[in-house]
Amino acid sequence: MNFEQMKAEFLALLQEKTLVQATISQPRQKSNEIKRVKLKPIELRGVYTIQLEYQYERILQHENIALADFAEQFDKLLEQFRQIHAQFTSQNIQIQLSKKNKVLWKSDQQATPKQVNLSHNRKKQYLLDDSKAYPFLIRLGVQTEDGHVKKQKYDKFKQINRFVEFIDDSLSYLPKDRTIRILDFGSGKSYLTFALYHYLKIEKGLDIRVTGLDLKKEVIEECNRISQDLGYEDLEFLVGDINDYNDETAVDMVVTLHACDVATDMALARAVKWGAKVILSVPCCQHELNRQLDTPALDVMLQHGLIRERFASLATDSIRAELLSLVGYDTQLLEFIDIENTPKNVLIRAYFTGKKPSEAQRARYDAFVTLLNAKPFLQNELQNLL
Ligand SMILES: C[S@@+](CC[C@H](N)C(=O)[O-])C[C@H]1O[C@@H](n2cnc3c(N)ncnc32)[C@H](O)[C@@H]1O
């Protein structure tokens, strides 16, 4: 068998869609940055696709290539590597190439045919698998170099996993015929921003463009460095104040995770004005209402600082949810994560439906804010839409 026949034979086998997994290894040059490439079949939006995992010295990178486009990539891989081990459902194949591309092809039949799993082989409870190394989590210091989640980062790991689950549940509300525009406000170290990019773009192959925005210049610069190093072309980070950020006209999904106090309201207001179809927001440290509360009828509760703080926090999120309903969102307050993980565990989930509120709903809202003496930032921001 010569080199061209080997290529044709291997590609023909792939066309049968019986690949279980394959490893392409033995770099022709020692200096090759990629040490080996793992292949596995996955189904992306109904299309049989080969997922390539490029293994560098320290990091992994993923690329999904539709089977129909794989031949070109295969040529490039064979320019770099001399060995292929491939497992198909009913045979194993080993291909060894000499420096001059003489071919040694060995195959053996499987006694018991293997199954092909076109899903992403994920554990059910986590969309990000805690036994797998993710380059972005290693760079962000959540995982060790060999892919273990650091003990002190486990809560963060759980939080971003849970948040990504909520995003996954919301995908049907997002456009399918164009790039999905996503903003993460108050992204900070951007664990969530990277995680959602990884999950939606790399694992699910969705056409997305993501921006993380935060006040902290150094943190954002580091996020941009990581994003560039990992080749995340459609993920950018900007330094700025949410309240001054008016660069967009239309956004599909806005997320926030623990954006402080009214920063959450600024984000919600922008999301509404840009017509975001999906808003997912886990607020934190709600101080605004705490300062305004003046309700003698509730003093039995509010005289206690701890209760006042918790009450203000719950009332703030209820007001936010109600305001979003009043401007056409189907809104729910959900438990984000178990309370031992973080007490900041309410998630506001809002899907735009355009449904007009009833007069009774508006009156109910007015009565509530009057009772509390509340003058919500978000109400002021949405004034024209209410
Ligand atoms: C508690 S951190 C959360 C960071 C990140 N979302 C996470 O969960 O790891 C809150 C972030 O919101 C940012 N922030 C607060 N107010 C902001 C504003 N007005 N505009 C932009 N970012 C803001 C802070 O700089 C901080 O990084």
Side-chain angles (χ1 to χ4, degrees):
M1 183 186 284
N2 67 29
F3 185 66
E4 290 306 319
Q5 285 166 335
M6 177 279 294
K7 279 196 318 194
E9 184 87 358
F10 190 78
L11 290 171
L13 276 171
L14 286 184
Q15 291 297 333
E16 290 175 11
K17 300 186 179 173
T18 55
L19 178 73
V20 179
Q21 58 170 2
T23 303
I24 302 182
S25 56
Q26 228 182 75
R28 288 178 189 266
Q29 308 282 343
K30 263 204 156 154
S31 55
N32 211 43
E33 286 192 341
I34 305 172
K35 302 303 169 202
R36 73 182 67 72
V37 183
K38 288 202 162 176
L39 272 51
K40 70 170 184 178
I42 56 171
E43 198 170 85
L44 284 183
R45 287 171 290 169
V47 178
Y48 184 94
T49 302
I50 306 289
Q51 180 166 83
L52 295 97
E53 182 178 273
Y54 300 100
Q55 303 190 348
Y56 291 76
E57 189 73 42
R58 283 167 177 268
I59 64 165
L60 304 175
Q61 278 193 342
H62 295 87
E63 186 180 17
N64 300 322
I65 299 181
L67 183 56
D69 305 326
F70 185 73
E72 194 182 325
Q73 188 64 18
F74 191 47
D75 278 342
K76 287 187 194 154
L77 291 171
L78 294 177
E79 282 167 17
Q80 294 179 61
F81 297 96
R82 297 204 287 128
Q83 192 175 65
I84 304 175
H85 282 187
Q87 205 179 59
F88 292 87
T89 47
S90 52
Q91 62 173 330
N92 289 328
I93 290 178
Q94 281 192 42
I95 302 168
Q96 184 67 49
L97 302 172
S98 73
K99 284 188 182 158
K100 295 192 172 160
N101 281 341
K102 275 194 172 170
V103 179
L104 189 70
W105 174 297
K106 277 204 245 167
S107 69
D108 60 72
Q109 301 298 312
Q110 300 267 18
T112 359
K114 291 234 167 349
Q115 297 291 316
V116 186
N117 180 0
L118 292 183
S119 74
H120 293 287
N121 269 340
R122 295 185 301 256
K123 284 185 189 167
K124 181 98 185 79
Q125 65 271 38
Y126 285 141
L127 291 180
L128 299 173
D129 188 337
D130 61 355
S131 60
K132 199 169 157 185
Y134 295 95
F136 71 94
L137 287 180
I138 296 173
R139 286 292 301 270
L140 292 171
V142 174
Q143 285 185 324
T144 57
E145 291 287 335
D146 54 356
H148 290 103
V149 177
K150 293 179 186 168
K151 211 168 158 218
Q152 68 275 27
K153 293 287 184 190
Y154 216 88
D155 281 348
K156 203 70 206 174
F157 179 76
K158 273 170 84 174
Q159 283 175 29
I160 57 176
N161 249 303
R162 186 80 182 110
F163 207 117
V164 173
E165 272 177 33
F166 280 106
I167 291 174
D168 197 44
D169 288 346
S170 306
L171 292 181
S172 61
Y173 293 84
L174 296 170
K176 291 171 188 60
D177 52 348
R178 60 172 173 80
T179 305
I180 302 169
R181 184 78 182 102
I182 302 172
L183 268 145
D184 181 356
F185 279 129
S187 54
K189 275 197 83 178
S190 305
Y191 306 104
L192 172 66
T193 339
F194 278 100
L196 77 86
Y197 185 85
H198 171 86
Y199 181 69
L200 296 179
K201 182 86 176 185
I202 295 161
E203 295 221 10
K204 295 212 81 135
L206 297 181
D207 179 10
I208 58 171
R209 193 157 71 81
V210 182
T211 301
L213 182 92
D214 203 283
L215 293 168
K216 295 176 187 158
K217 187 166 174 285
E218 287 76 21
V219 177
I220 287 296
E221 281 170 358
E222 174 63 5
C223 291
N224 272 325
R225 261 194 299 279
I226 297 174
S227 178
Q228 276 156 21
D229 290 352
L230 297 178
Y232 288 0
E233 285 174 5
D234 296 305
L235 174 61
E236 58 163 5
F237 295 92
L238 302 174
V239 183
D241 189 317
I242 304 168
N243 224 20
D244 302 332
Y245 186 73
N246 293 306
D247 294 7
E248 307 290 332
T249 46
V251 166
D252 300 299
M253 176 160 73
V254 168
V255 300
T256 72
L257 178 55
H258 301 153
C260 327
D261 199 13
V262 291
T264 293
D265 301 292
M266 295 170 187
L268 297 179
R270 263 150 194 75
V272 172
K273 287 176 194 166
W274 294 327
K277 292 280 178 279
V278 176
I279 301 173
L280 297 170
S281 172
V282 177
C284 84
C285 55
Q286 294 91 334
H287 301 308
E288 187 198 28
L289 180 61
N290 199 336
R291 288 188 292 268
Q292 298 169 352
L293 271 176
D294 183 9
T295 313
L298 296 179
D299 275 351
V300 169
M301 288 175 75
L302 303 184
Q303 63 178 322
H304 305 288
L306 174 73
I307 302 293
R308 184 181 175 92
E309 193 185 315
R310 289 193 187 166
F311 178 87
S313 182
L314 294 172
T316 300
D317 287 338
S318 306
I319 288 171
R320 287 169 173 154
E322 200 63 15
L323 282 167
L324 290 173
S325 297
L326 290 173
V327 295
Y329 282 82
D330 178 9
T331 311
Q332 286 164 313
L333 296 181
L334 302 165
E335 182 169 72
F336 170 49
I337 204 152
D338 38 305
I339 197 111
E340 300 88 58
N341 182 289
T342 168
K344 304 163 194 170
N345 74 338
V346 172
L347 177 129
I348 303 171
R349 184 174 73 184
Y351 298 138
F352 185 73
T353 61
K355 190 171 168 227
K356 297 265 175 286
S358 65
E359 280 184 19
Q361 199 183 347
R362 177 64 213 239
R364 183 177 76 164
Y365 171 80
D366 287 339
F368 188 62
V369 288
T370 305
L371 172 75
L372 300 184
N373 187 43
K375 295 166 188 63
F377 181 94
L378 184 58
Q379 180 185 331
N380 199 36
E381 289 285 300
L382 299 179
Q383 206 61 261
N384 295 339
L385 302 169
L386 288 166

